[in-house]
Amino acid sequence: MSAEPWTAEPALTTGALARRLGVSPTTLRSWDRRYGIGPAARTDGRHRRWTPEDVTVLEAMCRLTASGVPPAEAARTARQERAYPASVRRPPGRTPVPAARPAGTGAVLSAEARQEGRGLARAAVRLDAPAVEERLETAMDRYGLLTAWQEVMVPTLHAVGRKWASSGDRYVEVEHLLSWHVSTALRRHTRRPVATAGTTGAGPVLLACVPGEQHTLPLEALNAALSRLGVPARMFGAAVPAEALLAAVRRLGPAAVVLWAQARSTASLPLAEHVAAMEWGVKGARAQPLMMLAGPGWSGRPARGMLRPTALEEAVGTLADAYGVTPPGTPA
């Protein structure tokens, strides 16, 4: 009798698997408890040991939740990876498309997300860091990265910002604490940078704030989402000087450049046009980056062939498509 190829590979501990997938051990235990996405066997009836088949299921779960599929729905799809033997399993990269959600699901999700956001805001106002951490982790676990960002984190950040603006700096410490923990949560759910290019052979996605721009959280969310899909990205963060940005583009030859501008005063269209016009490669096969202008600072500016995503989900989908990666839940 011939065993399945994965049976000869060593099983992983929960900690080792968490590091491999780029999630917290708490998330793995929560998925096991809530959705049955757990190890097929336990040593001594207690200690979790994850086989390569278990890892395949978890990788599918991560891909689905990173694209915004609710965890319960993602778990049902991911479990199909275990239901079929390797000889009849789907080819790599062909993730099954979840069934359409029942009517009204979106409204229920929005109501639940608003409730999560209110709880997160109350914890932040109390400066209750442990509660903020727990709320953020719960939102990531329950909704996936994209939905947690768009439906919980962003509205809460906006609400806290409005409270600060209307109360004469009374809540500046709340905004700082909340921003720090959102950043921490996003980085916790960011996988290690991908070293190899995508199937197109293209360079990485370059993520940078324009000179003078300090707001990095949206780029951190994009970086995390791309990492979950295996799209290589290089994050340069806040207020990248123009000279440094141009030097990075020349050195990396990126497939795409995403420039974030929160305010119109920092959104430099001449800089974006200069980056978009840059070329590299041998004569006759010159390449240019896909240019994406992200953030409200670019509002009302003529794009002139440059992309203007309106939400994180749109940006992720466009960049994933450039790499030949189909986000889970997208029809093939």
Side-chain angles (χ1 to χ4, degrees):
M1 296 179 63
S2 59
E4 288 288 337
W6 53 264
T7 57
E9 297 180 31
L12 296 174
T13 64
T14 297
L17 179 58
R19 290 190 294 273
R20 173 170 172 171
L21 296 176
V23 301
S24 69
T26 300
T27 295
L28 295 182
R29 287 190 286 268
S30 175
W31 284 351
D32 184 8
R33 184 176 66 255
R34 294 182 180 183
Y35 312 117
I37 303 295
R42 289 175 171 81
T43 61
D44 298 330
R46 294 178 293 107
H47 300 294
R48 292 175 170 86
R49 289 296 184 270
W50 305 78
T51 68
E53 187 181 47
D54 296 327
V55 174
T56 298
V57 175
L58 264 297
E59 287 175 340
M61 181 73 173
C62 288
R63 289 194 303 270
L64 289 160
T65 54
S67 72
V69 177
E73 186 175 327
R76 285 194 295 271
T77 301
R79 279 195 296 268
Q80 295 180 26
E81 297 290 337
R82 183 180 286 151
Y84 296 97
S87 58
V88 298
R89 196 172 290 151
R90 296 171 181 82
R94 300 297 294 174
T95 304
V97 179
R101 299 179 191 177
T105 299
V108 174
L109 175 61
S110 295
E112 291 178 351
R114 285 195 297 271
Q115 184 64 30
E116 290 284 352
R118 286 192 288 270
L120 177 60
R122 287 193 293 268
V125 168
R126 297 195 306 270
L127 302 183
D128 187 345
V132 169
E133 281 282 317
E134 182 179 356
R135 290 281 184 175
L136 288 170
E137 192 64 29
T138 297
M140 291 278 208
D141 179 29
R142 181 171 296 170
Y143 305 117
L145 192 151
L146 288 182
T147 302
W149 167 257
Q150 292 173 171
E151 300 291 338
V152 179
M153 298 181 199
V154 169
T156 304
L157 287 163
H158 286 172
V160 170
R162 288 193 299 270
K163 188 75 171 177
W164 170 24
S166 64
S167 61
D169 290 350
R170 278 186 54 207
Y171 290 90
V172 62
E173 73 282 3
V174 175
E175 186 175 42
H176 277 252
L177 180 133
L178 179 60
S179 297
W180 169 258
H181 286 287
V182 167
S183 178
T184 300
L186 290 171
R187 295 191 189 193
R188 185 184 301 122
H189 286 262
T190 300
R191 292 183 178 177
R192 293 181 179 180
V194 177
T196 56
T199 57
T200 61
V205 177
L206 191 157
L207 308 172
C209 290
V210 296
E213 181 57 68
Q214 298 293 333
H215 293 79
T216 64
L217 288 181
L219 281 188
E220 292 178 41
L222 178 55
N223 185 50
L226 293 176
S227 78
R228 311 296 298 178
L229 294 176
V231 175
R234 300 295 179 265
M235 175 66 159
F236 287 84
V240 180
E243 298 81 3
L245 175 63
L246 299 178
V249 171
R250 284 192 293 268
R251 293 177 62 183
L252 288 172
V257 175
V258 182
L259 288 183
W260 177 269
Q262 182 77 15
R264 287 181 62 87
S265 60
T266 62
S268 172
L269 193 57
L271 174 60
E273 291 173 337
H274 185 64
V275 172
M278 294 180 70
E279 295 182 336
W280 53 84
V282 298
K283 187 176 180 180
R286 305 287 281 175
Q288 290 179 278
L290 177 70
M291 196 68 197
M292 183 176 286
L293 306 180
W298 302 105
S299 180
R301 305 291 181 89
R304 299 174 187 173
M306 294 178 277
L307 300 177
R308 283 288 317 281
T310 58
L312 176 63
E313 186 173 10
E314 181 183 347
V316 171
T318 300
L319 295 170
D321 184 63
Y323 278 85
V325 177
T326 303
T330 301

Short mmCIF file of all heavy atoms in Angstrom, two decimals, residues 122-144:
data_model
loop_
_atom_site.label_atom_id
_atom_site.label_comp_id
_atom_site.label_asym_id
_atom_site.label_seq_id
_atom_site.Cartn_x
_atom_site.Cartn_y
_atom_site.Cartn_z
N ARG A 122 -15.35 52.42 22.51
CA ARG A 122 -15.48 52.57 23.97
C ARG A 122 -14.20 52.13 24.68
O ARG A 122 -13.76 52.77 25.63
CB ARG A 122 -16.69 51.77 24.47
CG ARG A 122 -18.03 52.38 24.12
CD ARG A 122 -19.16 51.72 24.90
NE ARG A 122 -19.34 50.33 24.51
CZ ARG A 122 -20.17 49.92 23.56
NH1 ARG A 122 -20.91 50.80 22.89
NH2 ARG A 122 -20.29 48.63 23.27
N ALA A 123 -13.61 51.03 24.20
CA ALA A 123 -12.36 50.56 24.80
C ALA A 123 -11.24 51.58 24.60
O ALA A 123 -10.43 51.81 25.50
CB ALA A 123 -11.97 49.21 24.20
N ALA A 124 -11.20 52.19 23.41
CA ALA A 124 -10.16 53.18 23.14
C ALA A 124 -10.34 54.42 24.01
O ALA A 124 -9.35 54.96 24.54
CB ALA A 124 -10.18 53.57 21.66
N VAL A 125 -11.57 54.88 24.18
CA VAL A 125 -11.83 56.06 25.02
C VAL A 125 -11.41 55.80 26.46
O VAL A 125 -10.91 56.69 27.15
CB VAL A 125 -13.32 56.46 24.93
CG1 VAL A 125 -13.66 57.50 26.00
CG2 VAL A 125 -13.63 57.00 23.54
N ARG A 126 -11.57 54.55 26.92
CA ARG A 126 -11.13 54.20 28.28
C ARG A 126 -9.62 54.02 28.36
O ARG A 126 -9.08 53.82 29.44
CB ARG A 126 -11.80 52.89 28.72
CG ARG A 126 -13.31 52.94 28.83
CD ARG A 126 -13.82 51.74 29.62
NE ARG A 126 -13.35 50.47 29.09
CZ ARG A 126 -13.98 49.74 28.16
NH1 ARG A 126 -15.12 50.20 27.64
NH2 ARG A 126 -13.49 48.58 27.74
N LEU A 127 -8.94 54.06 27.20
CA LEU A 127 -7.50 53.78 27.11
C LEU A 127 -7.21 52.37 27.63
O LEU A 127 -6.16 52.11 28.23
CB LEU A 127 -6.67 54.82 27.88
CG LEU A 127 -6.85 56.28 27.45
CD1 LEU A 127 -5.91 57.18 28.26
CD2 LEU A 127 -6.59 56.45 25.96
N ASP A 128 -8.14 51.48 27.35
CA ASP A 128 -8.05 50.09 27.80
C ASP A 128 -7.34 49.29 26.70
O ASP A 128 -7.99 48.68 25.84
CB ASP A 128 -9.45 49.54 28.07
CG ASP A 128 -9.42 48.15 28.69
OD1 ASP A 128 -8.37 47.49 28.66
OD2 ASP A 128 -10.49 47.72 29.19
N ALA A 129 -6.01 49.29 26.72
CA ALA A 129 -5.23 48.65 25.66
C ALA A 129 -5.55 47.16 25.51
O ALA A 129 -5.70 46.68 24.38
CB ALA A 129 -3.74 48.87 25.91
N PRO A 130 -5.64 46.38 26.59
CA PRO A 130 -5.97 44.96 26.41
C PRO A 130 -7.31 44.75 25.71
O PRO A 130 -7.43 43.86 24.87
CB PRO A 130 -5.99 44.42 27.85
CG PRO A 130 -5.08 45.34 28.61
CD PRO A 130 -5.32 46.69 28.01
N ALA A 131 -8.31 45.57 26.06
CA ALA A 131 -9.62 45.42 25.42
C ALA A 131 -9.56 45.82 23.95
O ALA A 131 -10.21 45.21 23.11
CB ALA A 131 -10.66 46.26 26.16
N VAL A 132 -8.79 46.87 23.64
CA VAL A 132 -8.63 47.27 22.24
C VAL A 132 -8.00 46.14 21.44
O VAL A 132 -8.46 45.80 20.34
CB VAL A 132 -7.77 48.55 22.14
CG1 VAL A 132 -7.38 48.83 20.69
CG2 VAL A 132 -8.53 49.75 22.72
N GLU A 133 -6.95 45.52 22.00
CA GLU A 133 -6.29 44.41 21.33
C GLU A 133 -7.27 43.26 21.10
O GLU A 133 -7.32 42.67 20.02
CB GLU A 133 -5.12 43.92 22.18
CG GLU A 133 -3.87 44.77 22.08
CD GLU A 133 -3.10 44.49 20.80
OE1 GLU A 133 -2.94 43.32 20.43
OE2 GLU A 133 -2.68 45.46 20.16
N GLU A 134 -8.06 42.94 22.13
CA GLU A 134 -9.00 41.83 22.01
C GLU A 134 -10.06 42.13 20.96
O GLU A 134 -10.43 41.25 20.17
CB GLU A 134 -9.65 41.57 23.37
CG GLU A 134 -10.61 40.40 23.36
CD GLU A 134 -11.22 40.14 24.73
OE1 GLU A 134 -10.84 40.82 25.70
OE2 GLU A 134 -12.11 39.26 24.81
N ARG A 135 -10.58 43.37 20.95
CA ARG A 135 -11.60 43.74 19.98
C ARG A 135 -11.06 43.65 18.55
O ARG A 135 -11.74 43.17 17.64
CB ARG A 135 -12.07 45.17 20.26
CG ARG A 135 -12.90 45.32 21.53
CD ARG A 135 -14.33 44.87 21.30
NE ARG A 135 -15.15 45.09 22.47
CZ ARG A 135 -16.46 44.87 22.50
NH1 ARG A 135 -17.07 44.43 21.42
NH2 ARG A 135 -17.15 45.07 23.60
N LEU A 136 -9.84 44.12 18.34
CA LEU A 136 -9.25 44.08 17.00
C LEU A 136 -9.02 42.64 16.55
O LEU A 136 -9.30 42.29 15.39
CB LEU A 136 -7.94 44.86 16.99
CG LEU A 136 -8.07 46.38 17.09
CD1 LEU A 136 -6.70 47.03 17.32
CD2 LEU A 136 -8.71 46.96 15.83
N GLU A 137 -8.52 41.81 17.46
CA GLU A 137 -8.27 40.42 17.10
C GLU A 137 -9.58 39.69 16.80
O GLU A 137 -9.65 38.88 15.87
CB GLU A 137 -7.51 39.71 18.23
CG GLU A 137 -6.95 38.36 17.85
CD GLU A 137 -5.89 38.44 16.77
OE1 GLU A 137 -5.20 39.47 16.67
OE2 GLU A 137 -5.77 37.47 15.99
N THR A 138 -10.61 40.00 17.56
CA THR A 138 -11.91 39.39 17.32
C THR A 138 -12.46 39.79 15.96
O THR A 138 -13.01 38.97 15.22
CB THR A 138 -12.90 39.80 18.43
OG1 THR A 138 -12.45 39.30 19.69
CG2 THR A 138 -14.30 39.25 18.14
N ALA A 139 -12.32 41.08 15.61
CA ALA A 139 -12.81 41.55 14.31
C ALA A 139 -12.06 40.88 13.17
O ALA A 139 -12.66 40.46 12.18
CB ALA A 139 -12.66 43.07 14.22
N MET A 140 -10.74 40.75 13.30
CA MET A 140 -9.94 40.08 12.27
C MET A 140 -10.38 38.62 12.14
O MET A 140 -10.52 38.10 11.03
CB MET A 140 -8.46 40.13 12.65
CG MET A 140 -7.85 41.51 12.58
SD MET A 140 -7.38 41.93 10.89
CE MET A 140 -6.03 43.05 11.22
N ASP A 141 -10.57 37.98 13.25
CA ASP A 141 -10.96 36.57 13.26
C ASP A 141 -12.35 36.37 12.68
O ASP A 141 -12.60 35.46 11.90
CB ASP A 141 -10.89 36.05 14.70
CG ASP A 141 -11.29 34.59 14.83
OD1 ASP A 141 -11.10 33.84 13.85
OD2 ASP A 141 -11.77 34.20 15.90
N ARG A 142 -13.26 37.24 13.04
CA ARG A 142 -14.66 37.06 12.66
C ARG A 142 -14.93 37.44 11.20
O ARG A 142 -15.69 36.76 10.51
CB ARG A 142 -15.55 37.89 13.58
CG ARG A 142 -17.04 37.77 13.32
CD ARG A 142 -17.84 38.46 14.41
NE ARG A 142 -17.64 37.81 15.70
CZ ARG A 142 -18.06 38.31 16.86
NH1 ARG A 142 -18.69 39.48 16.87
NH2 ARG A 142 -17.84 37.67 17.99
N TYR A 143 -14.32 38.51 10.74
CA TYR A 143 -14.66 39.05 9.42
C TYR A 143 -13.57 38.90 8.37
O TYR A 143 -13.83 39.07 7.18
CB TYR A 143 -15.01 40.54 9.54
CG TYR A 143 -16.10 40.83 10.54
CD1 TYR A 143 -15.85 41.61 11.65
CD2 TYR A 143 -17.38 40.31 10.37
CE1 TYR A 143 -16.84 41.89 12.57
CE2 TYR A 143 -18.38 40.58 11.28
CZ TYR A 143 -18.11 41.37 12.39
OH TYR A 143 -19.09 41.62 13.30
N GLY A 144 -12.34 38.60 8.77
CA GLY A 144 -11.24 38.62 7.82
C GLY A 144 -10.65 40.02 7.73
O GLY A 144 -11.26 41.01 8.16
#
